[in-house]
Amino acid sequence: MPAPFVCYLRVYEPLGALRGPLAQRVRAGLARGAVPVVDAGRRDREVCLRAQLGVPPRLLPGEKIDGTAIEAPADVLLAEGPGGAAGQEPIGPQTLVCPLETRPRAAAALVGFLSSETPVLRTAALTAEESVVRSRAEAVVAELGDSATHIVSATWTVPLPWFALVEPAERILVLPSDDAVTAAEAPARRCYWRVPVADALSRADAAADLLADTLGDDGPSDVLRDTARWMRHFDPGSLVELDYGGLVTLMDDQTLAADTSAEDVAEALEALKAGDAEKAMASYRRLRDFWAGRAAHQRAN
């Protein structure tokens, strides 16, 4: 079964910056073993399906029958490889970690589902009274208080403003090599960027100001301001990762290699700064058309 068609914006935070029960659960999760980043989407899907198939079914993953959270070791990603911590170094305060936090993320997704989908689909999907489901999901989201989950995600396409957080040259593209003797030896296909949170924040703020001045406060500028508010929850020593996740399965190697999404956003922003609206629109159309082709799979699925 392919990975879910989901892309991610993740924050890998120094382990020493975590506090309270989350820090304890993350350390326990690291002792058990980190989740490979290429398996993160499948892990989310697995724990959600287990909750739904339980007897009785749980509304959200990682909770007891009464709806309270299970205090178990956390599923954790490690920032290994380019742009991250060396995988062989001992775990310590500066180790960069990203807890999956599937339960609060699932609760937020459920609130969004109830707010956006049609009554017919909501009725078909829910196994309890909608008002009860909404109340329980909102209560789990509220448990975050002033903190935030380390991951936000989107299905079938990448929110285009996210590309303003990265530079084209920072992309890391992993494709199978002809040198791999067997499929097991070939690295998993990935397309992602990793940047210091300070860089991502300054780029988000600059792009949001530019877009607000030229196009207004709604739309992309609003998305970037929300994204910047989210990133400010985390330690200044964190890394931000934009990962195509399961969306790579919607593209062959040639399409991934030729993808110019980050370049298109950079060109559009530079054109707006120079007052060249026509060039900015051409870059935006190229970007929009590329991702519309990916999003079209949702309606055909």
Side-chain angles (χ1 to χ4, degrees), residues 134-217:
R134 181 185 294 273
S135 177
R136 286 184 56 189
E138 289 176 344
V140 172
V141 174
E143 289 174 6
L144 290 170
D146 294 331
S147 63
T149 61
H150 288 68
I151 304 173
V152 292
S153 59
T155 56
W156 297 101
T157 185
V158 178
L160 304 185
W162 286 3
F163 288 108
L165 309 180
V166 300
E167 293 287 347
E170 294 165 338
R171 182 174 77 154
I172 301 170
L173 182 62
V174 181
L175 298 175
S177 169
D178 293 336
D179 296 332
V181 178
T182 66
E185 295 178 354
R189 296 170 78 243
R190 286 193 71 194
C191 180
Y192 65 104
W193 290 256
R194 278 188 185 155
V195 300
V197 69
D199 291 348
L201 270 170
S202 65
R203 293 166 184 172
D205 290 338
D209 290 343
L210 175 62
L211 290 166
D213 290 342
T214 54
L215 302 178
D217 288 323

Side-chain angles (χ1 to χ4, degrees), residues 6-300:
V6 179
C7 68
Y8 305 93
L9 201 58
R10 303 186 181 102
V11 170
Y12 291 84
E13 194 169 21
L15 179 59
L18 302 183
R19 296 290 181 268
L22 177 61
Q24 298 171 13
R25 294 180 58 236
V26 166
R27 289 182 180 276
L30 290 172
R32 183 180 61 186
V35 176
V37 67
V38 294
D39 293 335
R42 294 184 181 89
R43 179 60 178 164
D44 279 338
R45 179 174 61 198
E46 176 189 340
V47 298
C48 288
L49 285 175
R50 283 183 180 178
Q52 292 298 306
L53 297 176
V55 181
R58 274 60 163 177
L59 178 64
L60 297 169
E63 65 181 23
K64 305 172 187 175
I65 295 175
D66 63 2
T68 58
I70 298 173
E71 296 301 323
D75 288 325
V76 188
L77 308 179
L78 275 174
E80 300 178 19
Q88 302 304 314
E89 292 181 359
I91 300 297
Q94 298 309 310
T95 302
L96 295 172
V97 297
C98 177
L100 289 187
E101 300 166 302
T102 307
R103 180 172 179 259
R105 288 170 48 226
L110 182 53
V111 172
F113 170 82
L114 295 175
S115 301
S116 61
E117 294 298 341
T118 63
V120 172
L121 184 55
R122 298 200 304 267
T123 300
L126 298 179
T127 58
E129 189 70 31
E130 181 174 327
S131 60
V132 174
V133 170
R134 181 185 294 273
S135 177
R136 286 184 56 189
E138 289 176 344
V140 172
V141 174
E143 289 174 6
L144 290 170
D146 294 331
S147 63
T149 61
H150 288 68
I151 304 173
V152 292
S153 59
T155 56
W156 297 101
T157 185
V158 178
L160 304 185
W162 286 3
F163 288 108
L165 309 180
V166 300
E167 293 287 347
E170 294 165 338
R171 182 174 77 154
I172 301 170
L173 182 62
V174 181
L175 298 175
S177 169
D178 293 336
D179 296 332
V181 178
T182 66
E185 295 178 354
R189 296 170 78 243
R190 286 193 71 194
C191 180
Y192 65 104
W193 290 256
R194 278 188 185 155
V195 300
V197 69
D199 291 348
L201 270 170
S202 65
R203 293 166 184 172
D205 290 338
D209 290 343
L210 175 62
L211 290 166
D213 290 342
T214 54
L215 302 178
D217 288 323
D218 296 330
S221 63
D222 193 39
V223 172
L224 284 168
R225 294 202 193 282
D226 282 345
T227 303
R229 281 192 289 271
W230 169 70
M231 289 189 290
R232 285 190 170 92
H233 284 94
F234 304 104
D235 186 86
S238 301
L239 282 178
V240 175
E241 178 179 76
L242 170 56
D243 185 359
Y244 280 9
L247 299 188
V248 297
T249 59
L250 302 177
M251 296 172 260
D252 58 25
D253 290 356
Q254 292 73 26
T255 301
L256 273 174
D259 172 30
T260 59
S261 296
E263 288 89 343
D264 291 339
V265 168
E267 287 178 9
L269 292 172
E270 284 299 317
L272 285 176
K273 190 182 299 183
D276 190 341
E278 185 175 344
K279 182 177 180 180
M281 184 55 68
S283 298
Y284 170 74
R285 286 196 185 108
R286 189 163 57 246
L287 179 74
R288 179 197 61 192
D289 292 347
F290 177 82
W291 286 103
R294 316 282 82 76
H297 289 79
Q298 180 178 13
R299 294 187 294 273

